[in-house]
Amino acid sequence: MRHLLAVMLLICAATIAAAQSQAPPPELTLRDLEGKSPRKLSKDEVTQLMTGAKMARISGRGNQHYWTNGSDGKFVASSDNMGAGAVARGQGNVSQALGKWHISDDGRYCVLIEWKGVPTEEWCRFVLDTSVGHYMVKSDSVGTERVYKFNIKK
């Protein structure tokens, strides 16, 4: 009986640990970045930063996404499918999707990703440089606007 209880506790602890490691990032707002010296990048700065950049993020579902922005405006995005809802799509099986990127006239980084099995992703966001890395935001004038953390490397 003790052995069974110990096994059940171990399974429960492992399940909780796995769920926590795959949890989506906390939702942050523009206001949450106030102490991190946020600065909106200009169109020229965004173009210079994004061309050839290696991009990484954790999606709202907790999946790790990564791609490299090609100078031709194209990329191939990959997902580790380790986040919530990935079980039905094959949790842990890496998937790829074709994508396109460009910089809008007002300096937003715009992305189109044609995922298989989930809706196409299309958005444009301003890029913020902070003391703790880069974030993206739909509007830089509303304090309650959600921000998205991106790891950007050249």
Side-chain angles (χ1 to χ4, degrees), residues 72-84:
D72 61 355
K74 297 178 183 177
F75 60 82
V76 176
S78 296
S79 175
D80 66 1
N81 292 320
M82 293 297 290

Side-chain angles (χ1 to χ4, degrees), residues 28-147:
L28 296 175
T29 65
L30 188 57
R31 190 172 291 132
D32 294 326
L33 299 181
E34 287 176 358
K36 296 171 178 52
S37 306
R39 182 179 69 85
K40 182 173 87 171
L41 299 182
S42 70
K43 179 180 180 181
D44 288 342
E45 290 173 312
V46 173
T47 301
Q48 183 177 10
L49 176 67
M50 293 302 185
T51 303
K54 294 179 180 180
M55 309 292 293
R57 68 167 183 192
I58 298 176
S59 74
R61 291 179 169 250
N63 297 316
Q64 174 80 28
H65 293 163
Y66 45 95
W67 63 87
T68 300
N69 291 328
S71 58
D72 61 355
K74 297 178 183 177
F75 60 82
V76 176
S78 296
S79 175
D80 66 1
N81 292 320
M82 293 297 290
V87 174
R89 294 186 304 278
Q91 185 171 20
N93 293 326
V94 173
S95 63
Q96 294 185 323
L98 297 177
K100 297 178 184 177
W101 72 277
H102 71 276
I103 308 302
S104 67
D105 290 339
D106 61 355
R108 291 176 295 156
Y109 173 65
C110 300
V111 165
L112 170 78
I113 305 175
E114 299 182 71
W115 296 109
K116 296 174 181 90
V118 295
T120 295
E121 183 175 341
E122 186 172 18
W123 47 262
C124 291
R125 297 187 184 129
F126 293 107
V127 180
L128 304 175
D129 185 28
T130 74
S131 60
V132 294
H134 293 95
Y135 288 83
M136 296 192 198
V137 64
K138 291 179 186 175
S139 169
D140 65 333
S141 60
V142 179
T144 56
E145 186 71 41
R146 182 175 178 192
V147 295

